[in-house]
Amino acid sequence: METLGAFLDDVTAREPARECLAWAPHDVVVGRMTRAELREASRVAAKKLLRLGVGKGTRVGFLCSNRLEWLPIAFGALRLGAVLVPFSTLWKREEIAYALTHGDIQCLLLRPTFLKHDYLAQLNAIVPELATAVPGGLFAVNAPHLRRVVLLDGAAPGCDRWDDIAADVSELVLDGIERTVVPTDIATIFFTSGSTARAKAVVHAHGALVTSGRRVAECLGVGPDDAWWAHMPLFWSGGFIIGALNTLA
């Protein structure tokens, strides 16, 4: 079995120059990334997360639509042994509040808005203490574990800006941290269903996710010249495993 960081390193070593991501928010591709670029971007993201205080076991909430930085940030958290907890972009205030507490989220990265959703306004309604908090020093009644809120776009009181976080951590330190992560460590918590009751938090280990990605690719006969249209969101296990991990494998 492999960790997800080791998996990305392996597929990159095999074909570093092969394109692995093409981002088209509408009808035109506006960003592309090779496997080598994805690997490097994930290491930069891991260093930024370290600067934010994320470490092994930290619950990292991630509220973001399918964008070019989704996989780099996700793999960055996973390299550290943090637990990635993706939030659905379809959620309303009550569902976001439930995931924050049920998932014991300590650091939340999010887009402020998407389509008709104003996630930042919803978060401020859940956690009014954010408006007067010092970035990194949040203490909130309704989200007692949450300490940091990081915006991927824009700026707001109490929040860090992702673009402002330094990535000045040495490669050797990051390598040392990665060596402490093992395939049986918890990697992700995906919230599933929720159409008739509370969404269920499903826990996945590194080795199980990698094995699933490789087996799906083998069973479906996916080859190096195939591409996957990301019609499923990466915040669901289907999009992450059947889509991203399968395609990389």
Side-chain angles (χ1 to χ4, degrees):
M1 293 197 298
E2 302 163 276
T3 65
L4 283 152
F7 165 75
L8 180 57
D9 290 346
D10 176 65
V11 299
T12 298
R14 294 172 186 270
E15 295 182 290
R18 180 173 290 280
E19 183 176 274
C20 66
L21 288 172
W23 183 47
H26 298 292
D27 58 343
V28 177
V29 173
V30 297
R32 298 180 184 274
M33 194 174 285
T34 65
R35 293 185 175 194
E37 289 168 338
L38 172 57
R39 178 183 183 275
E40 177 57 26
S42 74
R43 290 181 66 84
V44 170
K47 293 175 183 179
K48 288 191 171 198
L49 289 167
L50 277 173
R51 279 294 181 190
L52 289 167
V54 173
K56 189 171 183 179
T58 302
R59 304 293 184 94
V60 178
F62 194 22
L63 178 49
C64 183
S65 56
N66 287 10
R67 302 205 320 186
L68 200 62
E69 65 265 45
W70 205 102
L71 286 176
I73 291 174
F75 273 106
L78 295 164
R79 284 187 181 280
L80 302 177
V83 180
L84 180 71
V85 189
F87 283 26
S88 170
T89 58
L90 305 175
W91 281 348
K92 297 181 174 62
R93 183 191 304 172
E94 294 75 15
E95 294 160 307
I96 294 172
Y98 174 71
L100 285 172
T101 54
H102 194 60
D104 296 333
I105 302 303
Q106 297 161 274
C107 179
L108 176 65
L109 286 76
L110 76 157
R111 292 188 66 174
T113 62
F114 176 60
L115 298 178
K116 296 180 180 180
H117 297 272
D118 190 333
Y119 304 119
L120 186 57
Q122 294 172 5
L123 183 63
N124 274 285
I126 300 165
V127 186
E129 297 93 338
L130 182 63
T132 55
V134 175
L138 176 64
F139 289 90
V141 173
N142 294 326
H145 294 286
L146 187 62
R147 294 293 173 268
R148 282 194 182 273
V149 176
V150 185
L151 298 182
L152 301 180
D153 303 311
C159 302
D160 293 283
R161 296 181 69 254
W162 180 250
D163 288 344
D164 292 341
I165 307 302
D168 55 347
V169 177
S170 79
E171 296 287 319
L172 292 176
V173 168
L174 179 55
D175 290 341
I177 291 171
E178 282 205 64
R179 285 193 293 270
T180 70
V181 184
V182 297
T184 53
D185 284 338
I186 296 174
T188 63
I189 299 175
F190 285 105
F191 283 90
T192 182
S193 186
S195 55
T196 58
R198 291 285 194 184
K200 293 170 284 294
V202 183
V203 179
H204 299 267
H206 281 258
L209 289 171
V210 173
T211 299
S212 294
R214 291 195 183 279
R215 286 181 176 173
V216 168
E218 182 180 354
C219 290
L220 295 181
V222 176
D225 295 322
D226 291 319
W228 175 67
W229 174 49
H231 61 292
M232 289 190 291
L234 291 166
F235 58 72
W236 283 338
S237 58
F240 187 66
I241 299 170
I242 299 174
L245 298 186
N246 156 43
T247 306
L248 284 168

